[in-house]
Amino acid sequence: MNYIYFNEIDSTQKYLLKNYKNLNLPVCVWSENQTNGIGSKNNKWEGKRGNLFFSFAYPLDFFKNIPMQSFSIYFGWIIKKVLNSYGSKVVLKWPNDIYILEYGVKKVGGVITNIRKNILICGIGLNTKYSPSDNFGSLD
């Protein structure tokens, strides 16, 4: 796996969508701060310095046993399993939201996937330190 680090970037996902053809795959792009992250349905992913922002690109055939429509939930499930192994109470909301059930219900992350010319590009954002004030809600 190759790694590309940015102190600040508009979006790790946008970077890979624009540059994947010129990179040595597999690759992971991460940043200390994201100024214009993307979420599902053309929403903006709000995040602050101190949170976790990364995207990775792999040849699609690496994941040949996973149906394409399941990528976001698959990677969300992995994040859930890892966080729960550390004692967090994390659940998934279909298709790509990550919620924590501590001190109420709080959206703490999301997964977004894109496919470009047989390349899977997956972005993950986790509010590990800061969360937008409107991030509280229900799982409905």
Side-chain angles (χ1 to χ4, degrees), residues 11-79:
S11 164
T12 59
Q13 181 81 349
K14 289 177 187 175
Y15 177 86
L16 280 179
L17 288 169
K18 182 178 177 184
N19 296 293
Y20 72 92
K21 293 178 191 174
N22 303 319
L23 299 172
N24 189 15
L25 303 180
V27 64
C28 179
V29 177
W30 68 283
S31 179
E32 296 287 331
N33 193 31
Q34 220 174 219
T35 59
N36 194 21
I38 57 175
S40 60
K41 301 174 189 166
N42 294 320
N43 289 322
K44 182 178 177 182
W45 175 259
E46 293 183 44
K48 294 183 178 181
R49 184 174 297 278
N51 291 344
L52 179 61
F53 314 103
F54 67 97
S55 296
F56 57 87
Y58 264 88
L60 194 56
D61 63 356
F62 185 83
F63 301 102
K64 59 186 168 199
N65 294 325
I66 301 169
M68 280 199 250
Q69 66 272 22
S70 299
F71 284 133
S72 289
I73 198 72
Y74 174 75
F75 293 113
W77 179 81
I78 291 172
I79 296 295

Side-chain angles (χ1 to χ4, degrees), residues 64-121:
K64 59 186 168 199
N65 294 325
I66 301 169
M68 280 199 250
Q69 66 272 22
S70 299
F71 284 133
S72 289
I73 198 72
Y74 174 75
F75 293 113
W77 179 81
I78 291 172
I79 296 295
K80 172 191 174 298
K81 293 291 282 180
V82 169
L83 293 176
N84 285 346
S85 75
Y86 286 99
S88 294
K89 296 175 185 166
V90 174
V91 297
L92 299 178
K93 178 182 175 193
W94 183 266
N96 66 339
D97 293 331
I98 302 167
Y99 281 78
I100 193 162
L101 304 179
E102 295 170 18
Y103 315 109
V105 177
K106 184 177 181 183
K107 181 176 176 184
V108 294
V111 178
I112 189 163
T113 54
N114 288 281
I115 296 174
R116 297 288 192 270
K117 300 198 182 235
N118 294 321
I119 304 297
L120 170 69
I121 300 171

